[in-house]
Amino acid sequence: MIRIGKLELPAGAVLAPMAGVSDAAMRLLCHEQGAAWSVSEMLSAKGWIYSGGKNRNARELLTRLPGEGVAALQLFGSDPQIMADAAQELVSAGFDFYDINFGCPAPKITGNGEGSALMRDPQQIGRIVRAVADAVEVPVTVKIRAGWDAEHINAVEVAQICEQAGAAAIAVHGRTRMQQYAGHADWSVIREVKKRVSVPVFGNGDVRSGADALRMLSETGCDAVLVARAAEGNPWLFAEIRAALAGEDYIPPTPRQRVEIALRHFELEQQLHGERGGMLEMRKHIAWYISGMRGAARFREHINALESAEAVKAALTEFAEAAQ
């Protein structure tokens, strides 16, 4: 078990926060496959406060489904007071702890001085963490990157500031902001952070298999691994990692099983977003689920042209039968 504040978390692999991906449906599926816990899509503290909590997209992001397990709500922003106010208001959403995003590399986020742009201002990061940690009783964790660019690798400095400010754990993505998601994650940065702080450290970057998870844990000494893009259309990656950690054999899903999980994912997305919204939300997921399968490209074009949820379900069912 991993202790963050007064909360005990199971060790293993974690579903990392991903905008437009790690909603309640994805979190539930990954938990069922063995994810130790998960982190929500990131929510703008400023957007929440300025909308008076009436933003529909934010409300959907805050939805939780029964059985999804332990989950953190990820907040982003650059104003300490607004971050603290939002955290206090959102306690009732029922998430187990908060995670603060200092890692998002998207230009629309960094352009506002938020996300990984804050890696250039470690002292402001400290002020934000302190404000949120003081405002709520649940644990507060952070997600950071190696640094802004190759010339400014400051993850250790930022991690130490976060710990001193009250962060209960630190997740480190081994890429800089300028790398975005390209190139290779530098796991040595994760290892150095782990050596220099006393709170749990979670490693992120290039974990795509059970073997990768074992290697990251061994090479960095981190307490858990975060899985992001490799889980897209592949929630059973957590079952593979769980088997690797237990020294057990792993049998991957058949093509039919992959499509059957996609159908269930579709139903969950409709619960969250309604028939039309769920159908639109699932288009990217379906493309991920069927990637590499025979006829995937043609089927993807076909399904994106369908106008009703029932038609999509029927097409997926037919595709599953043909994929046996």
Side-chain angles (χ1 to χ4, degrees), residues 96 122 272 284:
D96 299 281
L272 294 175
K284 60 179 178 288

Side-chain angles (χ1 to χ4, degrees), residues 31 50 54 72 90-92 101 125 155 162 165 168 171 175 206 215 224 228 254 284 295 318:
H31 175 70
Y50 286 3
K54 297 178 181 179
L90 289 163
V91 167
S92 61
N101 184 299
I125 284 178
C162 288
R175 289 181 174 86
D206 296 346
R215 188 165 60 87
T254 65
K284 60 179 178 288
E318 182 179 347

Side-chain angles (χ1 to χ4, degrees), residues 1-11 37 70 139:
M1 300 294 286
I2 301 167
R3 178 172 290 277
I4 59 167
K6 298 179 180 179
L7 182 64
E8 285 192 342
L9 300 174
W37 75 90
V70 175

Side-chain angles (χ1 to χ4, degrees), residues 37-241:
W37 75 90
S38 57
V39 185
S40 77
E41 305 169 73
M42 63 181 186
L43 175 66
S44 168
K46 183 186 297 184
W48 175 262
I49 293 296
Y50 286 3
S51 72
K54 297 178 181 179
N55 182 284
R56 179 180 176 182
N57 290 335
R59 285 291 178 185
E60 290 182 347
L61 185 153
L62 292 169
T63 301
R64 300 202 63 185
L65 289 174
E68 70 172 80
V70 175
L73 174 61
Q74 188 176 74
L75 293 176
F76 76 95
S78 58
D79 184 294
Q81 190 59 55
I82 289 176
M83 289 284 286
D85 291 344
Q88 286 181 320
E89 290 188 13
L90 289 163
V91 167
S92 61
F95 287 84
D96 299 281
F97 61 102
Y98 285 110
D99 186 62
I100 304 178
N101 184 299
F102 299 125
C104 180
K108 67 179 181 181
I109 302 298
T110 59
N112 290 327
E114 300 169 329
S116 59
L118 286 159
M119 293 297 295
R120 296 180 293 184
D121 191 350
Q123 297 307 316
Q124 184 67 359
I125 284 178
R127 288 187 282 269
I128 293 168
V129 174
R130 173 52 63 195
V132 177
D134 286 348
V136 297
E137 295 185 2
V138 297
V140 175
T141 65
V142 300
K143 173 78 179 294
I144 67 175
R145 283 199 165 228
W148 175 256
D149 55 28
E151 287 70 45
H152 301 87
I153 303 296
N154 63 342
V156 169
E157 175 194 2
V158 171
Q160 290 176 325
I161 288 173
C162 288
E163 179 181 21
Q164 293 165 5
I170 298 159
V172 184
H173 187 144
R175 289 181 174 86
T176 66
R177 185 274 168 183
M178 298 306 291
Q179 281 182 280
Q180 303 239 356
Y181 301 104
H184 296 288
D186 184 355
W187 291 0
S188 69
V189 175
I190 302 170
R191 183 174 63 247
E192 287 306 308
V193 171
K194 176 60 182 174
K195 289 179 180 178
R196 302 286 289 277
V197 299
S198 60
V199 296
V201 172
F202 312 137
N204 186 203
D206 296 346
V207 174
R208 305 184 182 95
S209 67
D212 289 339
L214 290 177
R215 188 165 60 87
M216 175 179 275
L217 289 166
S218 174
E219 292 184 9
T220 70
C222 66
D223 299 276
V225 299
L226 269 62
V227 178
R229 290 171 296 155
E232 294 172 342
N234 186 21
W236 42 85
L237 174 57
F238 292 99
E240 179 185 346
I241 294 174

Side-chain angles (χ1 to χ4, degrees), residues 285-306:
H285 289 286
I286 290 171
W288 292 328
Y289 275 113
I290 65 173
S291 177
M293 295 172 62
R294 186 173 61 186
R298 183 182 303 173
F299 180 72
R300 185 169 60 249
E301 293 179 3
H302 168 63
I303 211 162
N304 284 345
L306 298 178

